[in-house]
Amino acid sequence: MDGLPYIFGGIALCQLSIFLVASGRTEKLILLQADGVQKCWEKAVHELNLTPDEGACIAVLHTCARHGLADLATDTIRVLRSIGVEWQEYHFAPLLEAFSSAGKLKEAFGTLHLLRRNGIVPRPETVQPISNLLKNDIDRVDRTWKILDELRDEGHSIDAAAINAIIDASITLGDLQRAIGAYKTFNDYASRPDIETYNLLLRGCIDAKHRELGDKLLLDLKQAGIRPNALTYERIILLCLTQPTYEDAFFYLEEMKAQKFLPPLRVYEAIIRTCVVAGDSRYALALTELGQCGYTLSQDLRRYVATHKPPSQDDIL
């Protein structure tokens, strides 16, 4: 008798889900619990042969992502194709998250190949769940190479995003050497680094204050014919500011603006702090540009400048 409330509750939940699928009221599906969603999907789709619409499938995919329901997410992707919905990146993002949450790295990396094969370029945000899983364990990062080798031997292309995930995790773990080792494997997997690769490695260079390596990476990027984006300029500027001689930061700032990229507030803040500490009056020019870009000086930075600026610059603020 103790189990009856659960049984009846499950039946009611399935009936509710079936009604929602059949009536097109798919926005409510997202509120259902993971176990209920699985049971309802099986009942509605596989037993009653109901056809969910795209909205219902997306709601189910979001539940799968949160709870690591990799098998259900895979089946949902299949149903999307069967009802004639053209696959998009936002369909695969929760699938990748579900695989990552379930610890199914091989399936996650294989999905990146599937995306490319269907003309979908995975964004860094889409691959982030894989990186997040790898960041928890340096040994897992090392074991990932075996997975990539298996996929390659099975005839799968190894997407740049897969190696980028390893680079991202290595840098987060403070291991720039391991990240560079991953960077050197692209040819081994018949893959090519992309702008995300270089931006990740530049982040590692900033953490390590390794300007020489940053310059080498910029040269590699240029030789590969890859155009720097706003984040590339931001990171090379911040890298320059980690050095005792930071003149190149102003060169790259001007180049960034010449490429029609708006320098973010954090770039100006970093320049201002560096110049103030060095007694470099160009912090005042950076303050002016900061305002011209529509940014507001934070109270914290305002106090910092007021405290550290030379006495001769008392009228700047």
Side-chain angles (χ1 to χ4, degrees):
M1 296 293 292
D2 291 341
L4 286 179
Y6 174 80
I7 293 171
F8 288 129
I11 293 172
L13 190 57
C14 285
Q15 290 174 333
L16 172 61
S17 181
I18 293 166
F19 169 73
L20 292 171
V21 170
S23 63
R25 295 170 60 184
T26 57
E27 74 282 356
K28 300 297 183 182
L29 277 173
I30 196 65
L31 302 176
L32 299 178
Q33 295 299 313
D35 186 54
V37 169
Q38 285 185 295
K39 291 177 180 177
C40 296
W41 181 270
E42 182 66 28
K43 184 71 175 180
V45 175
H46 292 288
E47 293 184 29
L48 299 180
N49 292 319
L50 292 176
T51 303
D53 61 12
E54 184 182 7
C57 289
I58 290 174
V60 171
L61 282 170
H62 288 164
T63 300
C64 293
R66 291 197 306 274
H67 298 282
L69 306 179
D71 292 341
L72 178 56
T74 302
D75 194 39
T76 307
I77 291 291
R78 176 193 63 79
V79 168
L80 280 169
R81 174 55 62 89
S82 72
I83 63 176
V85 174
E86 184 176 349
W87 282 339
Q88 302 293 336
E89 187 183 35
Y90 58 78
H91 296 134
F92 284 94
L95 175 63
L96 280 171
E97 187 172 349
F99 279 138
S100 301
S101 298
K104 295 187 174 185
L105 275 174
K106 184 174 182 179
E107 290 82 354
F109 285 125
T111 300
L112 295 176
H113 166 69
L114 180 62
L115 263 70
R116 291 280 187 180
R117 198 173 66 191
N118 283 272
I120 301 171
V121 179
R123 296 180 302 157
E125 303 93 300
T126 300
V127 186
Q128 196 61 49
I130 301 177
S131 300
N132 291 342
L133 179 61
L134 296 178
K135 290 172 187 176
N136 294 327
D137 184 357
I138 195 68
D139 291 333
R140 181 180 280 138
V141 173
D142 291 337
R143 291 195 299 270
T144 300
W145 295 113
K146 182 179 179 181
I147 295 174
L148 295 187
D149 288 344
E150 290 175 357
L151 287 168
R152 178 186 58 191
D153 295 343
E154 292 168 5
H156 294 278
S157 298
I158 303 303
D159 196 89
I163 301 177
N164 287 346
I166 297 174
I167 293 173
D168 186 11
S170 299
I171 290 171
T172 301
L173 290 164
D175 197 332
L176 180 57
Q177 184 175 355
R178 189 178 253 98
I180 292 297
Y183 170 59
K184 293 178 178 179
T185 68
F186 274 92
N187 286 337
D188 297 338
Y189 294 98
S191 187
R192 296 180 60 188
D194 56 18
I195 189 61
E196 175 68 7
T197 309
Y198 292 103
N199 287 342
L200 286 169
L201 290 169
L202 285 173
R203 192 184 88 205
C205 292
I206 293 169
D207 294 341
K209 300 181 180 181
H210 201 324
R211 171 69 193 276
E212 184 179 354
L213 178 57
D215 288 342
K216 172 63 169 58
L217 291 168
L218 284 180
L219 180 60
D220 287 355
L221 182 150
K222 182 177 180 180
Q223 291 176 342
I226 299 174
R227 183 174 181 268
N229 61 17
L231 185 57
T232 314
Y233 281 109
E234 174 188 333
R235 289 187 172 168
I236 193 60
I237 291 169
L238 295 178
L239 177 58
C240 290
L241 293 173
T242 66
Q243 307 298 298
T245 302
Y246 53 85
E247 191 67 30
D248 285 347
F250 295 98
F251 168 79
Y252 286 113
L253 177 64
E254 292 306 313
E255 188 171 306
M256 183 181 192
K257 292 186 291 185
Q259 295 298 319
K260 308 302 181 184
F261 293 125
L262 177 67
L265 175 60
R266 55 185 164 271
V267 163
Y268 284 113
E269 289 183 336
I271 290 173
I272 291 166
R273 288 180 183 273
T274 300
C275 288
V276 167
V277 168
D280 186 338
S281 62
R282 286 178 294 182
Y283 82 88
L285 295 175
L287 278 171
T288 300
E289 278 197 24
L290 181 152
Q292 291 172 343
C293 290
Y295 300 130
T296 301
L297 192 66
S298 69
Q299 289 299 318
D300 179 63
L301 185 55
R302 185 181 295 275
R303 285 192 296 267
Y304 184 87
V305 173
T307 302
H308 294 85
K309 71 180 187 301
S312 61
Q313 301 287 329
D314 283 343
D315 59 337
I316 292 297
L317 295 178

